[in-house]
Amino acid sequence: MSELVGRYFDAAIAHLQRVRTEEAENIEAAGALLAEAVSEGRRVFTFGAGHSSLAAQDVVYRAGGLVPVNLLEVPGMAGVTVRPAPLSSALERVSGLATATLDLTPATSGDLLFLISLSGRQVMPVELAQHARGRGLKVIGLTSLAYPGEIASGHPSGTYLKDHCDVVLDNKIAVGDGELTHPGAETTFGPVSTIVTSALMQAVVATAVERLADAALAGTGATPPLFRSGNVPGGTEWNAKQMADNADRIFYTF
């Protein structure tokens, strides 16, 4: 293994250990909100633009995931699915797109939104968080708190995603999202933001499932609605029943 590869794994592991320790309280708080939303029959939404969409998608319609978690998708902003690719970045700066997107969903007061943005400074995440809270949704933001101290907000209010959340999870990623350097490379490389943010999302889900499962064992709640792998016997039938039982809370099957 090359020295750079070792450094990359070391950086990823160090970040995971850091968020495990420093974000433990916020993970518990976010998990409590998620468990509450699920137990009360609310809808749950996830959103991320560009590569932040990868962590948002990671908890939607997957084995071991909670059934009523929906991806809030804006055409052209999920990953790098649009051409030219820079259009996805440009769309993050369009005012009004966030409000129109949320208003065209069945989201109602009391629902929960996970909003992922590494910098938390662009128009889309700020306006979406503002509008969601204005409509009575709870907002959990996953972002890097390094950016507000170094990079100006792109929103006219001068605020960031962190300023419009009920709970903020800090992924501790440095500005630039590159863990590696090399004398022959003119910029940093080796990002770990996707790894760390996805881990934070899964940690929140695990916390919520634990709360729901504990309540089910105590007789004070229902069994958590989880997907199974479609590759195990009975998995497809299991998932079909889960989606039917939660049809009023999901819209990814429309």
Side-chain angles (χ1 to χ4, degrees):
M1 180 183 293
S2 75
E3 186 266 342
L4 271 180
V5 172
R7 282 168 50 196
Y8 179 77
F9 279 108
D10 288 344
I13 292 168
H15 268 86
L16 290 170
Q17 290 176 329
R18 184 181 176 194
V19 297
R20 177 183 180 179
T21 301
E22 297 180 12
E23 293 302 301
E25 184 176 336
N26 292 327
I27 290 170
E28 287 293 331
L33 286 179
L34 177 56
E36 180 181 64
V38 173
S39 66
E40 292 182 353
R42 305 293 187 179
R43 295 183 182 89
V44 181
F45 301 87
T46 67
F47 174 82
H51 287 91
S52 291
S53 177
L54 300 175
Q57 294 178 55
D58 194 46
V59 294
V60 176
Y61 186 61
R62 67 165 302 154
L66 287 163
V67 176
V69 179
N70 302 274
L71 181 67
L72 187 60
E73 184 177 1
V74 180
M77 296 184 71
V80 287
T81 59
V82 66
R83 289 180 174 79
L87 177 59
S88 63
S89 299
L91 288 172
E92 278 197 87
R93 297 188 281 271
V94 176
S95 181
L97 186 57
T99 55
T101 297
L102 190 63
D103 287 346
L104 290 171
T105 73
T108 58
S109 180
D111 288 345
L112 179 64
L113 170 65
F114 286 87
L115 215 167
I116 305 169
S117 173
L118 180 59
S119 72
R121 60 180 293 272
Q122 297 294 358
V123 170
M124 183 70 182
V126 174
E127 286 194 355
L128 183 55
Q130 285 179 319
H131 189 53
R133 293 187 87 190
R135 289 189 49 177
L137 279 74
K138 298 289 181 64
V139 177
I140 298 172
L142 287 86
T143 188
S144 168
L145 296 183
Y147 280 81
E150 297 188 36
I151 309 295
S153 171
H155 191 267
S157 68
T159 62
Y160 299 80
L161 169 60
K162 71 177 181 67
D163 300 314
H164 307 284
C165 298
D166 295 278
V167 177
V168 175
L169 291 166
D170 181 9
N171 59 21
K172 318 293 183 181
I173 302 298
V175 173
D177 194 16
E179 298 298 321
L180 302 177
T181 59
H182 189 284
E186 296 182 345
T187 188
T188 58
F189 57 101
V192 298
S193 60
T194 302
I195 295 171
V196 177
T197 306
S198 291
L200 280 168
M201 288 292 292
Q202 292 294 348
V204 171
V205 171
T207 301
V209 170
E210 181 179 37
R211 286 173 173 267
L212 294 167
D214 284 346
L217 286 177
T220 58
T223 302
L226 294 166
F227 282 115
R228 286 180 179 173
S229 171
N231 296 311
V232 301
T236 299
E237 293 78 13
W238 171 276
N239 292 336
K241 183 178 186 307
Q242 291 292 317
M243 288 188 286
D245 291 345
N246 292 275
D248 60 331
R249 294 199 278 172
I250 60 177
F251 64 92
Y252 47 75
T253 57
F254 287 6

